[in-house]
């Protein structure tokens, strides 16, 4: 089957390698280049049989409704919160994502955020670069090894973080929808209880209606003035106004954040805080992982149009 005529809609700029490979194999539509989205869809909707989205722009209800011949959504992301799964299921639209290949990088980034926050690595770097060392030593920081680590969500990524934290001698506890069998980690049935028994609280769960704002004022107060929050999940997992207030007021000790509620916009109050480390939703952004994710997106599309089993089916 010649796939060069199959219309694939790429929702926004992603890895250039992915864009180039899609363009080689399919009739690629670059949605972000359309000056008028509604006019573009009116003109091309019948031609689009696949959508490639990501964590910022996936396939929500309105887009799906405008594409009558849509057969598959292949997401360049592990998260599914930007895809209307209910509508896809109703219409028989297949959905794939990119699990596993990004697990190690996201877990590595979580550990990096912990170390950078506790040891104040970014601040210490600026201390040296500004020539302040000659005036005296940098202030003492806090160690990571042995601290109580609590993880919200013990799926692939949460489990990978737990293994890495164990190597630092950290006791691990967790909260999830249910207790996991055959684990030595302590389970807490509520996030407040988990936070109260953690020095480092890590958000690693999928974003659903149940987990939206799962970290709220009660959780932050339970974590306390010496605790730090690490978020490598989604921005909507955390009540952003509450974490900003908790950091400014010293009700928690610090935070390492990779994600935010309204990306790419970050609360400006965080910029002046030295107890916060900020990343740009980049936990999985290594050359190796992004290339592997792109290859998986393409492989799922090719499998679908060749009537072969999907590699990483969600629906």
């Amino acid at each position: 089957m010649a796939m060069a005529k199959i219309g694939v809609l790429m929702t926004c700029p992603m890895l250039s390698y992915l864009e180039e490979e899609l363009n080689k194999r399919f009739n690629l539509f670059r949605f972000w280049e359309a000056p008028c989205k509604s006019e573009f869809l009116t003109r091309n909707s019948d031609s689009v049989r696949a959508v490639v989205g990501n964590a910022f722009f996936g396939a929500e209800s309105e887009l799906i409704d405008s594409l009558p011949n849509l057969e598959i959504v292949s997401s360049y992301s592990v998260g599914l919160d930007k895809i209307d799964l209910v509508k896809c299921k109703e219409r028989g639209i297949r959905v794939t994502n990119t699990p596993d290949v990004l697990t190690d990088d996201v877990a590595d980034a979580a550990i990096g955020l912990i170390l950078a926050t506790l040891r104040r690595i970014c601040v210490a770097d600026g201390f040296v670069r500004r020539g302040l060392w000659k005036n005296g030593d940098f202030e003492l920081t806090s160690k990571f090894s042995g601290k109580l680590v609590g993880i919200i969500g013990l799926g692939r990524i949460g489990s990978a973080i737990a293994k890495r934290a164990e190597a630092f001698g950290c006791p691990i506890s967790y909260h999830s929808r249910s207790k996991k069998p055959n684990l030595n980690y302590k389970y807490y049935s509520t996030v407040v209880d988990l936070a109260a028994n953690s020095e480092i609280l890590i958000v690693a769960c999928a974003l659903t209606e149940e987990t939206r704002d799962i970290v709220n004022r009660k959780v932050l107060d339970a974590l306390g003035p010496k605790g730090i929050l690490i978020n490598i999940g989604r921005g909507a997992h955390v009540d952003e106004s509450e974490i900003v207030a908790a950091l400014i007021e010293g009700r928690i000790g610090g935070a390492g954040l990779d994600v935010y509620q309204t990306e790419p916009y970050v609360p400006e109050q965080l910029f002046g805080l030295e107890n916060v480390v900020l990343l740009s939703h980049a936990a999985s952004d290594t050359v190796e992982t992004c290339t592997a994710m792109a290859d998986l997106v393409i492989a799922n599309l090719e499998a679908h149009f060749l009537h072969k089993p999907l590699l990483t089916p969600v629906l």
Side-chain angles (χ1 to χ4, degrees), residues 103 107 151-163 172 185 204 232:
T103 298
I151 303 173
I152 303 173
L154 207 65
R156 294 180 182 92
I157 293 171
S159 298
I161 294 169
K163 287 181 181 178
I172 308 297
Y185 306 150
I232 47 79

Side-chain angles (χ1 to χ4, degrees), residues 221-268:
D221 285 345
L223 182 59
K226 292 185 178 179
I228 69 165
L229 177 75
I230 304 296
N231 190 4
I232 47 79
R234 289 287 186 266
H237 281 129
V238 178
D239 185 325
E240 200 158 78
S241 62
E242 288 293 349
I243 191 172
V244 169
L247 286 162
I248 291 172
E249 295 165 12
R251 287 188 286 110
I252 65 170
L257 307 174
D258 181 48
V259 289
Y260 313 89
Q261 282 191 352
T262 313
E263 297 172 359
Y265 303 101
V266 178
E268 292 185 3

Side-chain angles (χ1 to χ4, degrees), residues 12-41:
C12 61
M14 301 177 208
L15 187 69
S16 58
Y17 166 76
L18 174 59
E19 185 179 338
E20 291 162 7
E21 292 301 311
L22 288 171
N23 196 49
K24 287 178 187 176
R25 292 167 167 78
F26 303 99
N27 178 22
L28 183 63
F29 296 99
R30 297 168 176 85
F31 200 31
W32 67 95
E33 292 183 352
C36 176
K37 300 292 189 288
S38 58
E39 185 180 317
F40 169 88
L41 290 170

Side-chain angles (χ1 to χ4, degrees), residues 3-182:
M3 283 189 278
K5 294 183 179 179
I6 294 173
V8 174
L9 179 68
M10 196 173 189
T11 60
C12 61
M14 301 177 208
L15 187 69
S16 58
Y17 166 76
L18 174 59
E19 185 179 338
E20 291 162 7
E21 292 301 311
L22 288 171
N23 196 49
K24 287 178 187 176
R25 292 167 167 78
F26 303 99
N27 178 22
L28 183 63
F29 296 99
R30 297 168 176 85
F31 200 31
W32 67 95
E33 292 183 352
C36 176
K37 300 292 189 288
S38 58
E39 185 180 317
F40 169 88
L41 290 170
T42 300
R43 191 170 62 252
N44 298 290
S45 61
D46 289 344
S47 302
V48 175
R49 295 172 60 190
V51 166
V52 172
N54 64 6
F56 302 101
F57 192 163
E60 296 183 338
S61 178
E62 187 178 353
L63 181 62
I64 294 170
D65 284 341
S66 68
L67 300 172
N69 296 319
L70 182 61
E71 299 174 26
I72 182 171
V73 176
S74 187
S75 182
Y76 178 67
S77 169
V78 68
L80 300 166
D81 49 289
K82 297 296 184 181
I83 302 172
D84 190 330
L85 295 176
V86 172
K87 183 146 288 190
C88 286
K89 190 171 184 178
E90 286 174 356
R91 282 189 42 186
I93 296 166
R94 304 303 306 272
V95 177
T96 65
N97 63 347
T98 57
D100 299 320
V101 292
L102 50 67
T103 298
D104 284 338
D105 274 344
V106 177
D108 290 350
I111 299 299
L113 282 169
I114 293 169
L115 286 166
T117 304
L118 287 172
R119 301 303 302 272
R120 305 190 73 196
I121 289 172
C122 301
V123 181
D125 176 87
F127 177 83
V128 175
R129 291 176 188 271
R130 293 196 304 275
L132 299 177
W133 191 10
K134 62 181 177 288
N135 300 326
D137 290 338
F138 188 67
E139 63 192 81
L140 296 180
T141 60
S142 184
K143 71 184 294 183
F144 175 25
S145 298
K147 276 195 164 47
L148 301 174
V149 171
I151 303 173
I152 303 173
L154 207 65
R156 294 180 182 92
I157 293 171
S159 298
I161 294 169
K163 287 181 181 178
R164 285 158 172 76
E166 280 188 292
F168 284 83
C170 297
I172 308 297
S173 54
Y174 72 100
H175 166 79
S176 61
R177 283 172 293 185
S178 58
K179 188 175 181 179
K180 308 283 185 182
N182 307 316

